[in-house]
Amino acid sequence: MATAAVEVPSSNRTLPGSHTLPQVHYPKSAHPSQLDPESVVVEWLSLCNDHLQSDASTFSKIFLTESYWRDLLCLTWDFHTLHGPEKIAALIKTQGKGSRITCLALDRTSDVGRAKFAPIDFGESLQGIQSFLTVETDVGRGRGLVRLVKDTADGGKWKAFTLFTSLQELKGHEELVGERRPTGVDHGSRPGRKNWKERRDAEQNFEDGIEPTVIIVGSGQGGLTAAARLKQLGIVALMVDQNAHIGDNWRNRYHQLVLHDEVWYDNMPYLNFPPNWPIFTPKDKLAEWFELYAKAMELNVWNATTLTDSKWDDKAKRWTVTLERNIDGEKSTRIFHPRHIIQATGASGEAHFPTDIPGLSSFEGLLVHSSQFVGPQPSGAGKKAIIVGSCNSAHDIAQDYLEHGYAVTMVQRSSTLVVTSRSLMDVTMAGLYCEGGPPVDDADLISNSLPSPVLKRFHIDATREITRRDAPLLRGLQAAGFSLDNGPDGAGLWMKYMHRGGGYYIDVGASQLIADGKIRVKQGQEIARVNAHSMTFADGEELDADEIVFATGYQNMRQTARKIFGDRVADALGDVWGYDAEGELRTIWRRSGHEGFWFFGGNLALCRYYSRLLALQIKALEVGLMQYGDA
């Protein structure tokens, strides 16, 4: 007898093949005694270094049974989240000669990261010791963070609850910054020498037979941050983009688009936003910043350029790539042989448009996906608009329509997570990404140090507090017929984003318009068909419409790869986004399944942090420190 399928709530849906994170149970720990926290960390580090180089099987002496080590490129050339001392020991034993990490030490360079007593959980009921670390490996240097608690089951010994290690640089191949910055000129007599502008033009146009080692498809935040990191490692890269100008990926989107993240969270590598930058960045201002960034960082970009053909030579370990470039209406073709391609076309891939709805072609008004929507008509009095979807873009577009006089209906087919921008920032980012907060590199270290299962538990508790603060607005939404959820297992916005890349709205005003009945909600009904001037739903209701916008999200990046690079490449790639069995995001920022091919994307903060790790992997391959098949 067949078992009936169990319907998964919308809040808990994941991308196909991805894993649901377990719920962490915090350890029981005695309250810290009046000890010097630095001395405790130094003693623990001494024991840890001994175990790393001698007997990894004894890690239970320094790690709790319920503990996690998150490692990014220090233990292996991959990303890992290891749960418990047995799994930690098992990975280290696979390295043959012992751990690639040769030494963990106290980091005394940062006031933020000094060893101190600190809460381990969101509610601050579990106290422990937290400290920044320095990491030395066989080939590089990194940073780390450890959280120690007293193990009540083992005589009150200090043990690790979480350990985070992340590679920062390769020995002998450090970034060309600070003391290693370029001089900008060769002094002395050199007849016929070129000035900076001439050298820069030649570099940008790849003259004199020079070829890029890396071609980056896309020049949004993913392409720009990856190119900037590669540049500082001496890797020659070329970004190509079909858009006419850098920043058009934001500039060409809907009229009222403003980032929902605050400025302190969105800084780019090497060049922070100036102190007068607005808290919420308008899309056109961000586009102009991208253009400035590319020039200041001397990044090679070919706009109005299409990758028309690509082939991988497995023997030569390189691509043959054909580019068609349009300069002032004149087309030219160039063929390059890069060893790496980075697809940085956006973490969300191609627009998802439900083409199977009957009658789409019969509609006589404007009918577009949100990615093609530029804005309402200047005067919409008497007109009706339907927005299909209920996440960030849908809300922004609905509000824009309303402000232009349209009667607006939002079609919400399942539930949506809603948080106000103020509550989200105050609860989850206060003291970290804020005015007067720590340097962005220190904030990033803290933010990325929590293993995903622990991060999920943190966000379950944080979401309860956000929901409490936003309760009046949420009650108003429910009264208006808007269906709400709190993310996977109640873990909120960030975990919903990581699980499936969407399904939420960071409220900057539209939610109150829904609660007040100014934006109507059609909830829980599928679209039966689209008519010449209306939309009919499964319950039989028909709504008139002059314009319809489908804010229905985007496909997996792998589908974009299939469109650009063909089936042979796409079939070798893994699906992007969603968690693997250990709790690391699948495929993106790490090896993709096809040698010489990388996926890169995410919001500005993710691109800032993971661009370094992607660049280090490519540099390690280029200088022979790593082979593509290495564990």
Side-chain angles (χ1 to χ4, degrees), residues 140-151:
R141 305 175 191 89
R143 303 186 77 192
L145 189 151
V146 67
R147 295 177 178 89
L148 303 175
V149 297
K150 278 191 168 185
D151 186 357

Side-chain angles (χ1 to χ4, degrees), residues 255-320:
H255 186 65
Q256 292 292 351
L257 176 59
V258 176
L259 295 190
H260 291 206
D261 296 324
E262 295 185 339
V263 60
W264 307 282
Y265 186 62
D266 288 337
N267 286 305
M268 297 174 73
Y270 313 109
L271 193 60
N272 287 352
F273 292 112
N276 65 330
W277 198 265
I279 293 175
F280 298 102
T281 305
K283 55 136 181 151
D284 296 289
K285 190 172 182 67
L286 182 65
E288 292 184 6
W289 179 260
F290 280 6
E291 288 191 294
L292 181 152
Y293 185 85
K295 289 182 179 180
M297 299 303 299
E298 299 184 17
L299 306 180
N300 302 321
V301 189
W302 286 8
N303 286 104
T305 300
T306 303
L307 189 153
T308 60
D309 189 56
S310 61
K311 290 184 177 63
W312 171 254
D313 185 333
D314 195 51
K315 186 176 181 179
K317 303 298 181 185
R318 69 177 191 177
W319 296 87
T320 297

Side-chain angles (χ1 to χ4, degrees), residues 33-48:
S33 54
Q34 298 302 311
L35 297 173
D36 173 24
E38 183 172 306
S39 297
V40 174
V41 177
V42 169
E43 182 179 351
W44 183 88
L45 288 171
S46 176
L47 293 171
C48 186

Side-chain angles (χ1 to χ4, degrees), residues 462-481:
T463 300
R464 289 196 188 101
E465 173 60 18
I466 291 172
T467 301
R468 184 191 68 78
R469 296 185 182 205
D470 292 346
L473 177 65
L474 300 179
R475 286 194 295 269
L477 286 172
Q478 289 176 315

